[in-house]
Amino acid sequence: MTHSVQLIIGRGEAIARFLQRWPGSRAVDLTGGWQAIPLEDGLYELIAAAYAGLAKPDALDMAPPGLMEALAEASSPGAMLAYVETEYFGGTGSQSAVAFVDGRQVFAPARSKGAGGPINGALRAIGVQRMGSDDEFDTIGLGARRTMEDYALEGPRRQRGVAEAPARDKARGAPLWVVLMIIVLAIAMGVGAVIG
């Protein structure tokens, strides 16, 4: 199953400051009063341009240069923000996260392969408390929106009445390697007939 998102997570004043500083960005409500700001292409380009020349931490694969500075600015003072990114397909992949409180980094940029890891740590650092058997990630509803398309203005794809893309039908007939073998054999026989 796929999970691929790039989000700024927070609530209250921190989200309001970020939205004010970065026109065109928007917040999506999550569970428990938390919100996510999707790091869409336009926002990515604005941040990268505003902080041109800055590098991004190696642990944040999909973040724009300058994101750390943008998060520090919006979380100062008295506010908390985290940046989270996932890139999973078929159960394999990675996740990365960082968190800021009062303009200071409180959870260093980190990346991990496989399940578990830095996202829950960054969410804890900004005050997310797990509920029951759910981890922090699922407590605020990040598991319900699996792709950036699920953060569209219309809401998650499955809640819009839009059918999911159909699974690809299994190829009918011979596997590709068999077809290639037949072609190679036919060529070899043709060459053999011409030479012999």
Side-chain angles (χ1 to χ4, degrees), residues 4 14 30 42 60-61 76 78 86 117-118 134 174 179 184 189:
S4 178
L30 298 172
L60 304 179
D61 295 325
S76 171
T86 64
D134 287 343
V179 173
V184 168
M189 289 173 54

Side-chain angles (χ1 to χ4, degrees), residues 13-184:
E13 184 65 26
I15 293 290
R17 282 186 204 154
F18 196 94
L19 294 173
Q20 182 179 15
R21 168 68 172 94
W22 302 102
S25 60
R26 60 187 177 78
V28 174
D29 291 333
L30 298 172
T31 304
W34 294 95
Q35 294 179 298
I37 298 173
L39 190 62
E40 297 165 314
D41 292 343
L43 179 56
Y44 182 104
E45 292 166 10
L46 282 173
I47 293 171
Y51 296 102
L54 294 179
K56 67 177 176 134
D58 291 335
L60 304 179
D61 295 325
M62 297 173 272
L67 180 66
M68 303 287 281
E69 290 73 15
L71 293 173
E73 179 183 299
S75 67
S76 171
M80 301 175 273
L81 288 173
Y83 168 74
V84 302
E85 59 184 33
T86 64
E87 191 62 41
Y88 289 99
F89 182 75
T92 60
S94 65
Q95 61 174 266
S96 302
V98 65
F100 285 80
V101 174
D102 293 329
R104 294 178 303 111
Q105 181 180 292
V106 295
F107 187 88
R111 174 191 313 122
S112 76
K113 303 272 184 203
I119 291 178
N120 284 330
L123 293 175
R124 274 191 302 276
I126 64 167
V128 175
Q129 296 178 357
R130 58 187 305 157
M131 300 291 281
S133 62
D134 287 343
D135 62 6
E136 292 80 1
F137 186 88
D138 285 324
T139 293
I140 64 171
L142 293 177
R145 296 174 186 245
R146 306 192 64 79
T147 67
M148 292 300 284
E149 186 179 58
D150 284 340
Y151 288 88
L153 291 171
E154 302 84 22
R157 181 182 188 96
R158 63 193 148 283
Q159 292 177 3
R160 288 184 260 153
V162 176
E164 296 289 331
R168 296 181 78 183
D169 289 338
K170 292 186 177 185
R172 296 189 180 159
L176 180 60
W177 69 270
V178 172
V179 173
L180 292 174
M181 257 330 232
I182 293 170
I183 293 170
V184 168

